[in-house]
Amino acid sequence: MTAEVVLDGESLTPADVVAVARNGATVTVAETARERIRESRERVESVLDSGEAVYGVTTGFGDLVDERIPHADLDDLQRNLLRSHAAAVGRELTTEEVRAMMVTRANTLAKGYSGIRESVVDLLVAMLDAGVHPVVPSRGSLGASGDLAPLAHMSLVLIGEGEAEVEGDRLPGDEALDAVGLEPVTLRAKEGLALINGTQLTVGVAALLLADAERLVAAADIAGALTTEVTLSSTVPSHEAITDVRPHAGQAASARNIRRLTADSDVVESHRNCDRVQDAYAMRCLPQVHGAVRDAVAHLREAVEVELNSATDNPLVFPREAVGDRASGSDSAGVLSGGNFHGAVLAMRLDYLTNALTELAAISERRTDRMLNPNLQEPHLPPFLTERSGVRSGYMIAQYTAAALLNECRSFGRPSMDNTPVSGNQEDHVSMSAQSAYLARNAARNAAAILGVELCCGAQAADFVDDALELGVGSAEAYDAVRAVVPKLTTDRPVHEDIEAAGALVESPAFTERVAAALDEELE
């Protein structure tokens, strides 16, 4: 676990976000970033002194862009911005989602293009380290101008408003800060906009999702390897010669995993020269399908790694010499209004990942059916993997649950394809990136449960394989891991506990780490 994450606006990783959001790593701001923050604020002050009309600094927002704000009202403008934009509703973000949003926002401010004071960034970081977690409803972001409404709820606590949780207590913002010895700030020109204009809810959730999805596809390889063995299917489809002539990176990685997981398997050797010519696609095409999911995850990772270290608010404040005369501002500051807050680059890839995770779930459900279905399963397996089938139903209904969860995944919309203009049609094309992130996380949770069903059935099926035959090194370790939380099904019982326990196993880093340790090398 990373004990401390240093924010410099340039090097934040998805693993760092996980360390802060889930593992409580402390956060500091690098001195190089502090210098850039101070310089950026000096540029904003020079704009204020110039008296020029600059969007978000001396004007209103959205469709009110043409409203010039008197200098005496600039502080009120920033406070009112947070209040008016705190319009989110629905379920509240989890603590890890809030922490992910906070650390990613602090990092983009540390790049030094937002014009915010160092003291405001310090308070945001201090809240993270002290465990002050703003209460943030999840629905309300359009993914342009960034995640405005959720970020506004987060930012209200910095000015002593809104609500926050501290050590399990829900308190008004000022009381939450006071409980840990912190004081609210009074926002100055540009600072409210700097806090709420960006993609940090989306990218924070996406960073957490990356860790889950990468672990999920490794767990899928483990489940698939176990199913391959207990159904007496062939490992030939994972032969390196096949992947070498179609060299997609994801396919090659999953094929390598299957070969390593099934290494030294007596079960595989026992039917090497059997009469079956080919297996069904759910077995034979495992590397191709799992590999395509891997490639989708990698595509999201590429965008997240860039976005974590990007300036995503608007307007952005540059040194005058960097932007020339085509900018408002002052002699020392060039202020450019653009669209870095638009979440399309994340939304489209998140929707792509939802598709991919749905397919990962789909192929797993089909493998489960081949273990349970009396019309498809191998002769050594009893119907629905239970003795005295008919009197007992075994894992029959577990597949129903997998089918229901899969159907739910297939029913998820693709928010990035939708658009609803807002703000008097000034903001006429939005990304819906936060909704894409939420649905992708839901797809990941459903896929984990579906893989849990497959693991339950795989372990149960292994108990009907000839006792004299040993499973592969990795498959045997997977079997033991499942049996540690799911006992053998010897008579009918409520199997929801089995599914939940196995699903939690899939979601836990300990599962893939345990299997990898048995292989003496990391799973890909």
Side-chain angles (χ1 to χ4, degrees):
M1 183 181 72
T2 304
E4 181 182 73
V5 171
V6 179
L7 304 182
D8 60 9
E10 305 291 338
S11 61
L12 188 68
T13 67
D16 291 334
V17 176
V18 172
V20 173
R22 291 180 173 164
N23 302 328
T26 59
V27 178
T28 58
V29 180
E31 186 54 42
T32 53
R34 291 185 176 280
E35 184 176 347
R36 291 196 301 269
I37 292 169
R38 290 191 290 266
E39 290 173 351
S40 180
R41 185 61 198 176
E42 289 171 1
R43 295 185 187 108
V44 169
E45 296 292 343
S46 74
V47 171
L48 295 173
D49 291 341
S50 74
E52 186 171 346
V54 176
Y55 173 72
V57 180
T58 58
T59 74
F61 311 104
D63 192 46
L64 301 177
V65 62
D66 296 327
E67 294 292 331
R68 184 68 180 270
I69 308 301
H71 195 281
D73 294 332
L74 291 179
D75 291 355
D76 287 344
L77 174 69
Q78 301 303 311
R79 182 175 63 252
N80 289 340
L81 178 69
L82 298 192
R83 289 173 174 171
S84 64
H85 284 54
V89 297
R91 77 150 178 103
E92 292 168 0
L93 296 180
T94 64
T95 297
E96 70 173 38
E97 289 170 331
V98 170
R99 289 181 63 82
M101 183 167 61
M102 293 169 72
V103 70
T104 55
R105 193 67 205 150
N107 190 63
T108 197
L109 295 173
K111 288 190 71 68
Y113 296 101
S114 301
I116 199 167
R117 284 173 299 158
E118 191 177 2
S119 59
V120 182
V121 181
D122 283 341
L123 179 56
L124 184 58
V125 168
M127 286 167 56
L128 268 171
D129 289 345
V132 178
H133 302 132
V135 174
V136 181
S138 60
R139 278 8 186 227
S141 171
L142 301 180
S145 298
D147 299 311
L148 286 172
L151 284 166
H153 284 273
M154 178 199 79
S155 301
L156 277 176
V157 179
L158 278 79
I159 64 172
E161 299 185 16
E163 291 184 298
E165 290 189 354
V166 181
E167 296 184 349
D169 293 328
R170 187 176 180 129
L171 301 170
D174 55 348
E175 294 181 22
L177 293 175
D178 185 65
V180 296
L182 298 175
E183 295 183 358
V185 294
T186 299
L187 297 180
R188 305 302 183 197
K190 177 66 169 69
E191 291 183 328
L193 193 57
L195 285 168
I196 71 172
N197 201 294
T199 61
Q200 276 57 57
L201 169 60
T202 302
V203 76
V205 172
L208 298 175
L209 174 61
L210 267 179
D212 298 338
E214 288 170 345
R215 186 167 57 249
L216 199 60
V217 75
D221 286 348
I222 296 170
L226 178 59
T227 302
T228 296
E229 293 201 54
V230 300
T231 57
L232 304 186
S233 298
S234 176
T235 58
V236 168
S238 292
H239 197 288
E240 58 266 37
I242 295 176
T243 57
D244 284 348
V245 296
R246 196 195 192 198
H248 292 290
Q251 177 180 328
S254 282
R256 282 191 295 271
N257 278 348
I258 298 301
R259 294 198 299 270
R260 288 183 291 176
L261 289 160
T262 58
D264 302 325
S265 170
D266 294 337
V267 178
V268 170
E269 290 300 319
S270 71
H271 61 91
R272 182 170 293 279
N273 298 312
C274 68
D275 294 334
R276 191 192 307 173
V277 178
Q278 289 184 333
D279 295 316
Y281 284 180
M283 315 305 302
R284 193 179 356 144
C285 300
L286 183 156
Q288 287 77 14
V289 177
H290 288 202
V293 178
R294 288 178 174 278
D295 292 339
V297 176
H299 194 47
L300 176 62
R301 172 173 281 278
E302 178 185 61
V304 169
E305 288 178 340
V306 172
E307 192 76 356
L308 285 175
N309 297 289
S310 296
T312 60
D313 50 303
N314 179 62
L316 294 170
V317 184
F318 298 90
R320 168 56 70 178
E321 61 271 18
V323 297
D325 296 332
R326 296 195 63 190
S328 57
S330 66
D331 291 341
S332 62
V335 183
L336 296 179
S337 183
N340 276 5
F341 51 68
H342 201 289
V345 70
L346 296 172
M348 293 179 188
R349 299 190 199 205
L350 286 161
D351 284 354
Y352 173 23
L353 184 62
T354 297
N355 293 346
L357 293 174
T358 299
E359 285 306 295
L360 190 71
I363 197 170
S364 172
E365 185 276 331
R366 288 293 80 203
R367 289 194 299 260
T368 293
D369 186 60
R370 301 201 77 81
M371 289 186 280
L372 294 172
N373 190 333
N375 300 307
L376 297 174
Q377 64 190 171
E378 291 300 302
H380 67 285
L381 299 176
F384 304 107
L385 299 178
T386 184
E387 296 171 349
R388 301 188 66 197
S389 56
V391 175
R392 298 172 185 163
S393 295
Y395 278 119
M396 178 193 292
I397 308 304
Q399 191 229 340
Y400 287 38
T401 298
L405 292 170
L406 177 58
N407 176 263
E408 184 177 286
C409 288
R410 287 171 171 159
S411 74
F412 292 156
R414 302 299 180 261
S416 68
M417 298 171 62
D418 197 8
N419 178 63
T420 303
V422 294
S423 193
N425 219 41
Q426 174 75 1
E427 298 170 7
D428 59 350
H429 186 278
V430 296
S431 75
M432 304 296 181
S433 60
Q435 285 85 334
S436 294
Y438 297 148
L439 290 182
R441 289 201 76 182
N442 289 344
R445 293 188 180 105
N446 285 2
I450 291 168
L451 286 167
V453 172
E454 182 181 359
L455 284 170
C456 286
C457 293
Q460 185 74 5
D463 290 327
F464 292 102
V465 173
D466 189 336
D467 289 341
L469 301 177
E470 296 289 337
L471 294 168
V473 176
S475 298
E477 193 66 30
Y479 170 87
D480 290 342
V482 174
R483 281 287 171 258
V485 296
V486 179
K488 180 180 178 180
L489 189 66
T490 57
T491 187
D492 278 350
R493 62 174 181 247
V495 295
H496 72 94
E497 294 180 358
D498 299 8
I499 298 170
E500 290 166 355
L505 186 67
V506 169
E507 293 184 306
S508 168
F511 178 53
T512 51
E513 290 170 0
R514 173 175 175 169
V515 175
L519 301 176
D520 291 326
E521 56 184 325
E522 289 188 8
L523 286 166
E524 296 186 58

